[in-house]
Amino acid sequence: MSMAVVGLVAGMALGFAGYFGGFGAFLLVAALGAVGFVVGRFLEGDLEPGDLFRGRERGDRRR
């Protein structure tokens, strides 16, 4: 499944949640989608648990 299709489905889910459930439902669906995204990245092996909590190295500074 391409990233465009994933984005389309996520946008439609947020739209339906916002329309039928209001702003609180919109935020809940967005937060659960973000959690699902992070869990999916862990399961695929693209993300390690320490990546979320480790600070950047001194030489690895982005501007």
Side-chain angles (χ1 to χ4, degrees), residues 8-57:
L8 173 69
V9 171
M12 289 175 63
L14 289 172
F16 279 120
Y19 183 76
F20 291 112
F23 188 68
F26 173 82
L27 291 179
L28 178 64
V29 169
L32 291 176
V35 169
F37 175 76
V38 170
V39 169
R41 295 291 298 257
F42 278 130
L43 293 177
E44 288 180 353
D46 294 336
L47 194 61
E48 296 293 324
D51 291 344
L52 296 175
F53 304 110
R54 187 176 334 147
R56 282 191 255 164
E57 306 270 332

